Amino acid sequence: MTRARVLLLTAALGPLDYRVPYGSEAPLGSVVVAPLGPRRMGGVVWEDASFGAPEPVGDNRLRNLFEVVPVPPVAAPLRKLVEWTSDYYLAPPGSVLRMVLPGAAFADARRPIVEYRATGELPARMTPQRTVALEKIGTRQGIVRELAAMAEVSEAVIRGLVQTGALEAVSVSADQPYPEPDSDFAPPDLSDEQSAAAQQLRDAVAAAKFETLLLDGVTGSGKTEVYMEAIAAAIDAGKQALVLLPEIALTEPMLTRFAARFGCEPVAWHSGLRSTERRRAWHSIAAGEAKIVVGARSALFLPYGNLGVIIVDEAHETSFKQEDGVHYHARDVAVMRGHFEGLPVVLASATPALESLAQVEAGRYRHIVLLLVLPARYGGATMPDLAAIDMRQDPPDRGRWLAPPLVEALADRLAKGEQSLLFLNRRGFAPLTLCRTCGHRIQCPNCTAWMVEHRLVHRLACHHCGHVMPPPRLCPECEDEDSLVACGPGVERVADEVSLRFPEARTAIVTSDTLWSPAKAAEFVDAVKAGMVDIIIGTQLVTKGYHFPNLTLVGVVDADLGLDGGDLRASERTFQQIAQVAGRAGRGVKPGEVLIQTRVPDAPVMAALVANDREGFYAAEAAARRQAGAPPYGRFAALVISSEDIEVARGVAKRLGEKAPVADGLAIYGPAPAPLAMLRGRHRFRLLLHAPRSFDLQGAIRDWVGRIDWPAKARLAIDIDPYSFV
């Protein structure tokens, strides 16, 4: 009889043994469907020695596998990556495997799917929900569940529209092949510096061995054109290339750039895809047919049939760190995948993370680490002039947020027919709503956070749990009427000021609220390039990836905002964000200017930005981190205990604190209420661990939490190398 050890797609269990039915084969890596109680569950045939040895089960007690799914097996290097990610981030292996095998892996790519689209005919009885649904669906199509999510209505509303003929069925095939990219379609005209860097990347791909290359160049220096040559080399070798992007909104503009270079768009992978698109993409990637894949961090775990190079664009971005579920960092896991697969990994950034620079300096990456520097802007464009506006000397008018020098610069650009960008990393209209009578602040009922006013949609919203409510007419505390006042600026409030000062200016607000999909991002890019926008007001979404030749002014509305909160990376993140948004100015033939509004112009990060002294800033930041034993020269880990019952959470945290390990070099802070003491209705307590790099932090945590009896009402989240400290 043939047995198979199967790792199932569940966080609750390790590998289980099953019987392979007579006449079937299930070699290592096979994707299977197995019984688990009364359910059918997907999984992968795994090595016997992995994840410890389960209790032996007699042959007579084994259950038969239901089927071996006819897809390529999960290769040994990817299985190693799953094991490493599970071990390093202390995550259940089944949770990691879910990223390798999403639902699309088990759908038959040959079977058509029925989707629905609007016919243009309105039902005889139009309810408010039907009206909203048809408006939001527009020309898009999808399965019933997807259309309901798009329209924010129930599936019953969508089915009702189908029955009335307002939506019609469309049969969609998911097995048609993607176009083949042509590495010679439109090769770029590279400068000498770019050619030298590109040749090193091409050589690394041709060598087909692991090495990590940091592609380091100022914004607008042509890093994308350079790493596209590595992709071209992979295509010529018959291999696949993966490009990771930090934001979904960047995907659509990037697809257009790739189409111009290779003659067709690459295969996209992100959460905004429809079910048919995900199914088609997954099967094409697994078969090795999708030659270029551009996607969000989840694309890193897909089972590529013949991967040749991994490129992490904007590798410094903190959004590469997953904050829910498996708390992995895609940049670091990409390096490990390159190690297991034996292929080069390119980290591209104009403002590299201090962790990456420390690895270059210390040579800790396996094999060779190359620092490729592109010192000048591509196409002869010059770097913008940077200046700080001291808000103590040049404050805005009362009730306004733009200082006089910035207002004058905006007026000058409007007169010249040039475009401007105002950057404020705060969504909505105002971050706080309080009562001027009693001082009551409107707080989220589910989180320890203030409700943020979004005036465009007439809602108060929590940016942590998504709770929304209409702005109350009366103060919830003292019931005084019309006493609620918005405090502080968000991008919507700045946009209002711009409209008041420059009523003739055409503005665009760019946040995750307005650019919620790649299609919306593409509409925005087209409008700006067509000259239909004069002033862009945006959050960090506009700091990266966009190239607008007529944009010559960038104004940073509140440069000090990112320095609040005690985050150990606050200065580095502020430097990166402002340097990145500054790089949007002067990318064409016209020179650019950047004005930074700050109340602390003498702060090291502000002085470094104005002086364009990146090396000096990084040296000072590295020295401060080294002295404090902070990353990358030390290690942190966070343990967050949560429960809907505050006493349960407090009790578990207390017991965990009482059994804390004692070791040389290990410091444990807490337990204490987390800075965000309640999130999504769950009370949270945190313990923060600090240790030297050489300390076995995972081993200590694994042994520590294993000594605690966990009540069913309590959850534990472990964050190794945390980026968020809330």
Side-chain angles (χ1 to χ4, degrees):
M1 185 191 70
T2 305
R3 300 167 64 112
R5 182 153 294 173
V6 177
L7 179 61
L8 297 171
L9 298 176
T10 174
L13 298 170
L16 298 176
D17 288 340
Y18 289 91
R19 178 190 294 116
V20 179
Y22 180 77
S24 298
E25 292 185 356
L28 287 175
S30 297
V31 179
V32 299
V33 177
L36 184 64
R39 294 178 294 162
R40 296 168 60 95
M41 182 168 290
V44 173
V45 178
W46 218 266
E47 285 83 357
D48 289 350
S50 298
F51 309 117
E55 289 292 323
V57 178
D59 294 346
N60 61 322
R61 294 175 55 198
L62 295 182
R63 301 178 69 182
N64 277 359
L65 294 173
F66 284 130
E67 66 171 310
V68 178
V69 182
V71 297
V74 176
L78 184 51
R79 299 200 301 275
K80 278 188 179 180
L81 184 73
V82 169
E83 293 180 9
W84 180 88
T85 304
S86 171
D87 181 68
Y88 186 85
Y89 292 104
L90 298 178
S95 297
V96 183
L97 186 61
R98 277 192 174 276
M99 295 185 284
V100 178
L101 297 176
F106 297 92
D108 186 353
R110 297 163 296 181
R111 182 174 56 84
I113 282 182
V114 176
E115 295 185 339
Y116 297 90
R117 66 185 178 194
T119 61
E121 298 179 7
L122 298 179
R125 188 174 69 87
M126 283 293 288
T127 65
Q129 282 188 313
R130 286 181 173 182
T131 302
V132 169
L134 289 174
E135 286 177 356
K136 290 192 174 182
I137 291 170
T139 59
R140 294 183 287 178
Q141 70 181 49
I143 62 175
V144 170
R145 183 182 68 252
E146 292 165 345
L147 293 182
M150 286 179 203
E152 298 178 346
V153 297
S154 68
E155 293 184 18
V157 173
I158 302 299
R159 292 192 181 95
L161 289 171
V162 172
Q163 292 172 357
T164 62
L167 296 176
E168 64 179 353
V170 182
S171 182
V172 180
S173 174
D175 65 347
Q176 58 191 43
Y178 290 97
E180 286 279 337
D182 181 1
S183 62
D184 296 322
F185 180 77
D189 183 17
L190 300 178
S191 66
D192 291 343
E193 292 85 357
Q194 286 178 308
S195 296
Q199 188 58 52
Q200 294 186 62
L201 295 186
R202 281 192 292 262
D203 291 344
V205 174
K209 64 180 183 180
F210 168 61
E211 54 182 337
T212 304
L213 304 100
L214 179 61
L215 185 58
D216 177 10
V218 298
T219 55
S221 58
K223 293 183 294 297
T224 305
E225 287 76 10
V226 169
Y227 73 59
M228 280 183 177
E229 294 307 291
I231 295 170
I235 293 171
D236 290 339
K239 296 182 177 180
Q240 297 169 285
L242 166 63
V243 182
L244 294 180
L245 300 178
E247 299 280 356
I248 293 176
L250 294 178
T251 307
E252 201 70 25
M254 190 62 79
L255 298 185
T256 303
R257 294 182 71 176
F258 273 82
R261 169 64 179 87
F262 296 105
C264 65
E265 288 191 353
V267 176
W269 183 270
H270 52 76
S271 60
L273 296 179
R274 306 196 315 270
S275 292
T276 48
E277 294 171 326
R278 290 177 72 82
R279 188 178 69 170
R280 180 187 178 198
W282 190 92
H283 284 272
S284 182
I285 288 167
E289 297 166 356
K291 295 302 182 186
I292 308 175
V293 179
V294 174
R297 58 179 176 247
S298 59
L300 176 60
F301 285 93
L302 297 177
Y304 297 88
N306 189 15
L307 192 57
V309 64
I310 300 173
I311 294 156
V312 185
D313 202 3
E314 308 288 0
H316 63 280
E317 276 295 328
T318 56
S319 54
F320 279 123
K321 179 66 189 285
Q322 170 83 18
E323 298 292 353
D324 292 314
V326 181
H327 291 250
Y328 71 96
H329 198 302
R331 179 197 64 218
D332 300 336
V333 178
V335 172
M336 291 307 300
R337 178 152 197 183
H339 166 57
F340 292 133
E341 301 262 6
L343 53 84
V345 179
V346 180
L347 308 180
S349 174
T351 52
L354 191 58
E355 283 86 350
S356 298
L357 293 174
Q359 295 284 26
V360 170
E361 181 183 355
R364 290 196 182 101
Y365 288 145
R366 285 181 179 260
H367 297 288
I368 187 169
V369 179
L370 301 178
L371 179 61
L372 308 179
V373 181
L374 303 177
R377 280 200 158 191
Y378 184 48
T382 58
M383 293 299 296
D385 294 325
L386 278 79
I389 299 174
D390 189 339
M391 300 284 278
R392 299 167 301 182
Q393 303 297 324
D394 281 309
D397 299 334
R398 184 176 179 83
R400 301 291 179 92
W401 312 101
L402 304 180
L406 181 53
V407 173
E408 292 172 12
L410 287 168
D412 176 64
R413 293 321 191 278
L414 280 171
K416 292 178 179 176
E418 297 172 2
Q419 295 167 316
S420 304
L421 165 62
L422 296 176
F423 168 68
L424 175 64
N425 201 27
R426 186 183 275 151
R427 293 160 49 205
F429 183 83
L432 176 65
T433 300
L434 60 77
C435 175
R436 61 164 63 94
T437 302
C438 70
H440 175 73
R441 302 178 180 188
I442 298 183
Q443 182 172 319
C444 174
N446 307 314
C447 306
T448 314
W450 310 124
M451 296 292 282
V452 178
E453 181 178 359
H454 287 251
R455 195 160 287 186
L456 289 178
V457 292
H458 306 291
R459 289 288 185 271
L460 297 178
C462 175
H463 289 176
H464 296 283
C465 72
H467 177 77
V468 295
M469 58 183 283
R473 186 173 58 85
L474 305 177
C475 170
E477 186 71 20
C478 69
E479 297 187 350
D480 199 3
E481 188 172 2
D482 296 328
S483 65
L484 296 174
V485 60
C487 299
V491 287
E492 293 177 13
R493 197 167 201 171
V494 173
D496 277 2
E497 179 177 345
V498 169
S499 297
L500 287 172
R501 291 186 181 275
F502 309 106
E504 75 284 2
R506 298 163 297 177
T507 62
I509 298 175
V510 181
T511 74
S512 56
D513 301 311
T514 59
L515 265 61
W516 65 81
S517 69
K520 281 289 181 183
E523 290 177 16
F524 160 69
V525 170
D526 291 342
V528 176
K529 288 187 174 179
M532 298 168 62
V533 177
D534 299 312
I535 301 175
I536 304 165
I537 305 101
T539 61
Q540 64 176 355
L541 208 59
V542 296
T543 65
K544 46 193 173 283
Y546 296 114
H547 176 82
F548 302 130
N550 197 39
L551 197 157
T552 59
L553 173 68
V554 167
V556 181
V557 177
D558 188 353
D560 310 324
L561 179 63
L563 297 175
D564 298 333
D567 184 348
L568 73 92
R569 296 181 178 86
S571 292
E572 180 186 6
R573 193 172 300 167
T574 298
F575 182 89
Q576 290 168 337
Q577 281 187 346
I578 296 178
Q580 288 281 338
V581 75
R584 301 310 111 196
R587 295 174 72 94
V589 295
K590 300 174 184 177
E593 181 183 12
V594 181
L595 298 177
I596 304 171
Q597 294 188 169
T598 175
R599 288 179 172 80
V600 284
D602 298 329
V605 62
M606 300 303 166
L609 283 163
V610 172
N612 196 24
D613 184 15
R614 194 189 83 167
E615 301 308 316
F617 169 77
Y618 276 123
E621 184 72 8
R625 299 258 198 102
R626 188 179 282 110
Q627 183 177 7
Y633 308 105
R635 302 190 64 194
F636 281 109
L639 274 61
V640 177
I641 300 96
S642 68
S643 175
E644 293 179 358
D645 185 333
I646 189 172
E647 294 305 324
V648 170
R650 181 184 284 116
V652 173
K654 182 180 178 182
R655 291 200 301 275
L656 202 59
E658 290 170 350
K659 295 190 177 183
V662 178
D664 289 341
L666 175 64
I668 299 177
Y669 307 102
L676 199 59
M678 188 166 74
L679 179 64
R680 301 184 186 97
R682 299 184 68 85
H683 299 276
R684 305 165 77 242
F685 289 81
R686 186 187 71 178
L687 295 104
L688 189 64
L689 290 76
H690 183 202
R693 286 212 63 84
S694 58
F695 188 84
D696 181 13
L697 203 54
Q698 285 88 342
I701 294 173
R702 197 178 286 112
D703 179 64
W704 181 17
V705 301
R707 299 199 301 263
I708 303 294
D709 292 327
W710 292 92
K713 292 183 178 180
R715 293 181 194 162
L716 172 65
I718 301 174
D719 192 356
I720 303 294
D721 305 333
Y723 269 59
S724 171
F725 289 85
V726 299

